[in-house]
Amino acid sequence: MKKDTKIKNLIVYIFLIIMSIVSVFPFFWMIVGMTNKSVDIIKGKLTFGNALIENFNNLFSNYEVGRIIINSFKISLTIVIGSLLISSMAAYGFEFYPSKIREKIYAILLATMMIPFAALMVPLFRLMVAFNLLDSHWGVILPMLPSVFLIFFFRQSFKLYPKEIIMAARVDGASELRIFLSIVFPSMKSTYAAAAIYSFMTSWNSYLWPLIVLQSDEQKTMTLLVSTLSSGYNPDFGVIMTTVVLATLPMIIVFFGLQKYFVQGILGSVKQ
């Protein structure tokens, strides 16, 4: 019996080690690639080189990377703050405001998640043209602010929240806005942290909609820069790897900065 258990554990450990290597390898290759020249990367070199400074110089001398990074942060942070505020308040309303048609509206809202984004692109594009938001960061931000998934995510967490606290605050005469900001928000930090990670990664990695809306170089984001570097006739893979590392760093920092809240937030949402 013990021998069978040891064999099973050994198989599990071997599987986990292999999966860990497969998961970490792209990051390792990316970091090694930014230190090598393009020709070495094409040859499949997997050791560190001495072209790191050259790649940085080529990238920063040919492109306004600082402005592009600021554009990405501006769009992503605005979407994170806006979508968390809108989604959490909508979920609060769905969960704590009784209504006969509440569940029907919620079901229709969830059904919209099944509509592919490709089907919405043309009407959204015409809307942005009508509001004169083409080639504007607000043209990217506004359609991404409402998130049905985040409304669902927050509502699942609110189902665990003690309704007696809300009722007691209402009896004491507190307004709904004060209840939400002073009582609910401070006690749901882990849920907000998990939602912030999801929202930041989604907006930072967004490619298709920014590609359609942002048409000038001054408005570009990091994902569009990587696409531009990759689409040339003779792409410099060393510069591309350097750009990818710079584009990945903010997501890694955000994830590890909020990691301790992430698992708590996810667990709080999926218990229902």
Side-chain angles (χ1 to χ4, degrees):
M1 187 68 179
K2 288 185 177 178
K3 187 178 179 181
D4 290 342
T5 305
K6 286 183 179 178
I7 292 174
K8 287 181 182 177
N9 288 338
L10 182 63
I11 293 172
V12 170
Y13 287 135
I14 292 173
F15 175 77
L16 291 176
I17 291 170
I18 293 173
M19 288 298 103
S20 299
I21 294 172
V22 171
S23 301
V24 171
F25 179 75
F27 295 98
F28 171 76
W29 187 46
M30 192 171 64
I31 293 170
V32 167
M34 70 184 293
T35 67
N36 285 306
K37 295 182 179 179
S38 184
V39 64
D40 294 325
I41 297 172
I42 293 173
K43 289 178 181 177
K45 184 182 177 184
L46 292 177
T47 56
F48 288 97
N50 54 6
L52 177 63
I53 296 175
E54 180 183 338
N55 288 333
F56 267 103
N57 286 336
N58 290 337
L59 176 61
F60 280 86
S61 59
N62 293 320
Y63 301 93
E64 295 184 40
V65 181
R67 179 177 48 76
I68 293 173
I69 291 175
I70 291 174
N71 288 344
S72 291
F73 270 110
K74 173 186 172 184
I75 292 173
S76 299
L77 292 178
T78 306
I79 290 173
V80 169
I81 295 170
S83 62
L84 259 60
L85 184 64
I86 293 171
S87 302
S88 61
M89 293 184 81
Y92 177 85
F94 275 117
E95 185 58 30
F96 295 112
Y97 275 87
S99 169
K100 292 181 180 178
I101 61 170
R102 179 180 64 179
E103 295 305 324
K104 292 179 181 177
I105 295 175
Y106 187 63
I108 294 172
L109 198 64
L110 291 182
T112 61
M113 293 176 68
M114 300 177 189
I115 302 174
F117 181 70
L120 302 174
M121 281 194 305
V122 173
L124 271 178
F125 182 80
R126 291 173 64 89
L127 198 64
M128 292 303 110
V129 173
F131 285 109
N132 197 26
L133 291 175
L134 211 59
D135 199 26
S136 159
H137 288 162
W138 284 109
V140 178
I141 293 169
L142 289 178
M144 296 181 71
L145 284 180
S147 171
V148 178
F149 172 75
L150 286 182
I151 293 174
F152 167 78
F153 180 76
F154 275 110
R155 193 182 181 192
Q156 290 303 106
S157 294
F158 287 149
K159 286 180 183 297
L160 298 175
Y161 198 85
K163 291 182 173 55
E164 294 78 10
I165 297 177
I166 306 293
M167 296 301 295
R170 285 174 178 169
V171 170
D172 286 343
S175 65
E176 293 298 329
L177 185 62
R178 186 178 177 187
I179 293 172
F180 181 79
L181 295 177
S182 303
I183 300 175
V184 177
F185 176 73
S187 58
M188 303 286 288
K189 286 181 181 176
S190 56
T191 303
Y192 277 91
I197 292 174
Y198 166 80
S199 181
F200 183 81
M201 288 186 174
T202 303
S203 54
W204 185 270
N205 286 326
S206 178
Y207 169 71
L208 184 57
W209 183 240
L211 178 67
I212 294 171
V213 174
L214 305 178
Q215 300 174 346
S216 65
D217 290 340
E218 289 74 20
Q219 306 292 343
K220 274 185 176 177
T221 60
M222 287 300 287
T223 51
L224 298 184
L225 175 61
V226 174
S227 172
T228 302
L229 292 171
S230 308
S231 59
Y233 287 107
N234 187 24
D236 188 331
F237 290 103
V239 173
I240 293 173
M241 290 292 188
T242 305
T243 311
V244 171
V245 170
L246 289 177
T248 308
L249 276 177
M251 288 188 293
I252 294 174
I253 293 171
V254 168
F255 179 77
F256 283 105
L258 300 175
Q259 186 186 19
K260 65 178 181 179
Y261 300 110
F262 184 72
V263 177
Q264 297 174 14
I266 294 294
L267 288 177
S269 178
V270 300
K271 279 181 179 176
Q272 284 293 312

